[in-house]
Amino acid sequence: MDQDKANATIVTALGVSGALVLVKAGAAGDLPPVRTWVGLTFAGLALSVLAQSQPEIAGGIAMLMMCTSVFVYGKPAWDAISKATKPGKKSGASKSAYSA
C-alpha cells in the first residue's frame, strides 16, 4: 500500500466511523459527545503522520478502526436508518385540484 492509498483508507475509515456514531446518536435524539470528535481528529492526525513513513501499518490500523466501528455501531445505526426510511401509514389519497 502506498501513501496515497493509506491516506484514502484513513479518510474513508474516519468518515464511516463518524457517520455511524452520528446516526446512532441522532436516532436517540442526541449529539455524539465532544470526545468522539476529538478522538476521530486525533486518530486522523496520528494515522496521517504514520502514513508518511509506514503507509501499510497506517492503512491497516485505519481498516481495523473502521471494522471495529461497524461491529460496534453498525446494527444500531442500521436499525435507525431502517426505522427512518420505513414507509408509514398513508393518511388517505389527496385529490388534485386539476382532476375532474
Side-chain angles (χ1 to χ4, degrees):
M1 179 180 298
D2 62 356
Q3 187 176 349
D4 290 335
K5 279 188 172 184
N7 286 331
T9 304
I10 291 165
V11 169
T12 302
L14 292 172
V16 168
S17 298
L20 288 173
V21 169
L22 187 62
V23 168
K24 181 183 179 265
D30 296 332
L31 286 175
V34 173
R35 68 176 183 220
T36 301
W37 303 117
V38 171
L40 286 172
T41 302
F42 177 76
L45 290 171
L47 288 173
S48 294
V49 169
L50 182 60
Q52 301 294 320
S53 61
Q54 297 294 325
E56 295 87 9
I57 294 173
I61 292 172
M63 289 298 292
L64 181 63
M65 185 178 78
M66 183 172 58
C67 290
T68 302
S69 294
V70 168
F71 286 133
V72 172
Y73 296 112
K75 173 124 175 57
W78 183 258
D79 290 343
I81 292 169
S82 296
K83 184 178 177 184
T85 58
K86 190 178 207 179
K89 294 181 181 180
K90 295 187 178 182
S91 60
S94 62
K95 294 192 176 191
S96 174
Y98 298 107
S99 64

